[in-house]
Structures are given as C-alpha cells and as structure tokens.
Amino acid sequence: MAKNVLTGSRIRARRADLGVKQSALAGRVGISPSYLNLIEHNRRRIGGKLLVALARALETEPMALSEGAEAALVDALREAALERPREGSAENAAMSEAELERVEEFAGRFPGWAALLAETRARVLEAERSVEALSDRLSHDPQLSASLHEMLSSVTAIRSTAAILAETPDLEGDWLARFHRNINDDSARLAESAEGLVRYLDDGGGEEAGAGTPQEEVEAWLGRRGFHLAELEAGEAGESARLLEEARTSGALKGGAAQSMAAARLALYRDDAAALPLAAFAEAAAAAGYDPSLLAAQFDVPLEAVLRRLASLPREGLPGEIGLVSCDGSGTLTFRKPVSGFPMPRFGAACALWPLYTALTRPTLGVRAVVEMAGRSPRRFTAFAMCRPVADMGFGRPQVFEANMLLLDEGFGAAREAGEVLELGSSCRICPREACPARREPSIIGRQE
C-alpha cells in the first residue's frame, strides 16, 4: 500500500488540532464537505494542487501531509506482522495478508496503539536476546561451572566432617581439634567461593560481561579497537610490545594467558599487514568486490591471510559489516569477530551447518555459501571458509588444522541476490528450526517454520 494512503488521516488530525470544522476547510479549498469527508477517511486519493491548497489552509507543508513522520513505526509494525506464525487454515493465512496490507492505515488511525505495539515488540526481542545469552551462559560457562563445583565440594567436606563430629561424641582432643580446624578451613573456602561467584555474576551486566576467559579478554580488547590496529600498519619495531604493555597496565589483558594469546594475534596481524599493505589492499578489495579468492591470487598470498586481512579493515568506507570466526580441528571456536545478526556462541558448540565446519572436512579447498541466520528477522551473509594445516605435516605426526570463516553482510550485495541459501543457526539450544537434520538437543525457544 502506498504511503500516501494515510494522507487523509493526517489531514483530519491536522484539522482537529487547529480546531477547524470540516465544512469550513472544504470551503477554503473549493470542494464539498462530503468529498473532504471521503478524503479524510482515506477513500479518495489526493495530490497536486488540492494537496497544496489543503496544506496552505492547514498551515503546514504538503510533504507533512503526504509522507508523515511514522515511516519507522510502519516498518516496525510490518516486521511484527511478518513474524507472526502463519499456521492454521488458508483463511487464517489470508487474514494475515489482509492485516499486513492495512498496517499503514492502522498506524494512521491509531498512532498511540501502533507505537505501543512497536515498543512492546522491541522489548520482547530484547528479552529474548537476554534469555538466549543467559541460557548459553548457564549451560556452558566454564567459570560458573567451576565455581559451583568448588562450592559443592566445600559443602560436601563440611557435611562429612560435621557428620563425624555428631556421630562420634567421644573423640580424642587432638582429633576433635583437627576436625574443627577442617570445618573452619572448608567454611572459609566456601565463603570465598561464594563471594567470587557473586562478583562474577554481578559483573555480567557490565561492559566486560563474559570476559571470563583469556580468549574473551583478547577479543574484548580488540573489539574496543574495532579489530583494526593502526599502530601495526606501518610495521615499526616495538609497536606490538608497546600495545601489550599498554593493555596490561590498563587492565584490559589481566592474565598471562590472555597476554600470550594477544601477542600471538598481534604477530599474525603484523605479518598480514606486511604482506597486504592497507592502502593497496583496501583499494584492490573494493575493485574485486571483496572476493577473497581474487585477492589471494592478485597478491599471491594464502586465502586465510586474505580472510583475516579483510576482517581487520577499518569500518569506515566499507559497504557493510565484516565478521570472522576461527576454530581448531575439534570445532572449538578459537577467535570471534562478531557481526550484527550472526550470533556466535560463547561456550559450547556452534551450529554444525556452518561453512566453517564444512571447510574442516575439505582441507585446502575453499567453501563459499550464502547463509541465513535463524531468528525473528533473519539476515543473510556471504560466507567464505578455508581450512589449512597449522603445523608441518609428516609421516607419523598428528594432523593439526585451523579453519577460518569470513562473513560479509547484506551491505556487500551478494547475499541479497543469492538464489540458493543455506539456513543455519547459532547453536542448537537457541535455534528455532526444529526440523534441522543437524540438531543435537532441543531448543529452549519457540520453533520457526
């Protein structure tokens, strides 16, 4: 339905705000009150000179009457209508289509209710995202699991010692003192574990939420820099050490493990920047349509180096967002540069349908696919994945592989125009696609047909 279908509703609202009678306004613009009544109830189209005359009589601009200010509201309502389950009879489906066609009319006639519905939908979506994140954390967070295990161990030790004291009234003094000391030590350990768990959970709502592992510390630190390190682009000696020292003193990288992982990531970044200079690479990437295979051939570098380099480009000037995710041979995610609309699980396994895992089964062979992430508002991405050995291969030596997957969002165009699309999710626990052949466990959220 065209946007000017609500012009009549806007004319009526403006007239009412000014306190002008319908007959008076009709007289000013030279039409009959009955015709104006049809216009105000959106039963007659309006434009040209009559629209200009009405705008002048109502002391406003013609565009304010023809376009209005509720475009975002109408879009939100339309998205909500599209998300409504279309189950049931053909009659129910036809009713849904009819309701979708009258979204603009509803927003024009009942703007307050429309705004309330749009706001409620936004809150529901935010609540669902919070539930997904909390469920993932409760199910797979290693620090939470370790803290609970420590607390249970302390409680069990205290319970066992207390049972001995209660059931053995004639203990010797030395044994009695030893058991009392054990209870004191175990209770202190229990209190310390409980305090640590409370601090960890309290920190979960802040900016550093989830930075509980060395890998997450590194990703959070890089994320604050947009995953682009301008200091390393010039290749000057000592910049990596300076960055690490700055991160250590500021508390961004607290532990030795995080600092060691960050050092390895910086070394990789420095090598990629030397092989693929920023200015030349950015220009070539734009000319090649951000196709990794073309860029790898042009610069004569491994494809995985191009994937990493594309993910490190500054966001300014790019047509869309770029994400990157890496995994080892076990499928464990070892690096994540997130991209909007493609949630990457913090703990546990990701969706088995990701091209990242397909690449693991085809070492040295590139994988390209257009994927659609499950959700209320599914988004498409063009995925490029490659798996290569990270250690020298030889007879009798274990095979060690790493896979990388680059994600280009719809801003790059290819995902929007694709005919064949691979439907996937983040992880089984929060994926609504119940009929997925790769499902490992039931989902905790509603299903998606």
Side-chain angles (χ1 to χ4, degrees), residues 6-17:
L6 293 178
T7 302
S9 298
R10 300 185 190 105
I11 292 173
R12 183 173 68 251
R14 178 62 178 171
R15 179 178 59 78
D17 290 342

Side-chain angles (χ1 to χ4, degrees), residues 37-51:
N37 184 65
L38 293 174
I39 292 175
E40 289 188 348
H41 286 82
N42 301 304
R43 296 177 183 175
R44 291 292 186 275
R45 299 281 177 150
I46 180 177
K49 294 182 179 180
L50 180 55
L51 178 62

Side-chain angles (χ1 to χ4, degrees), residues 38-120:
L38 293 174
I39 292 175
E40 289 188 348
H41 286 82
N42 301 304
R43 296 177 183 175
R44 291 292 186 275
R45 299 281 177 150
I46 180 177
K49 294 182 179 180
L50 180 55
L51 178 62
V52 174
L54 284 167
R56 186 181 299 111
L58 294 172
E59 302 174 3
T60 187
E61 295 293 327
M63 185 176 293
L65 297 178
S66 61
E67 296 293 333
E70 68 283 341
L73 176 61
V74 170
D75 289 343
L77 291 175
R78 184 175 284 111
E79 289 180 5
L82 289 172
E83 292 166 0
R84 174 183 174 183
R86 304 298 177 88
E87 301 174 357
S89 64
E91 181 180 352
N92 289 340
M95 184 180 300
S96 297
E97 295 296 335
E99 291 172 353
L100 181 60
E101 292 178 358
R102 302 186 66 182
V103 163
E104 293 188 13
E105 180 181 354
F106 173 74
R109 295 184 63 186
F110 308 102
W113 282 108
L116 178 61
L117 285 175
E119 182 182 352
T120 301

Side-chain angles (χ1 to χ4, degrees), residues 36 41 114 124 131 186 196 300 345 366 404 422 429:
L36 179 57
H41 286 82
V124 169
V131 169
D186 290 333
D300 192 23
N404 295 278
L422 172 63
R429 190 165 180 80

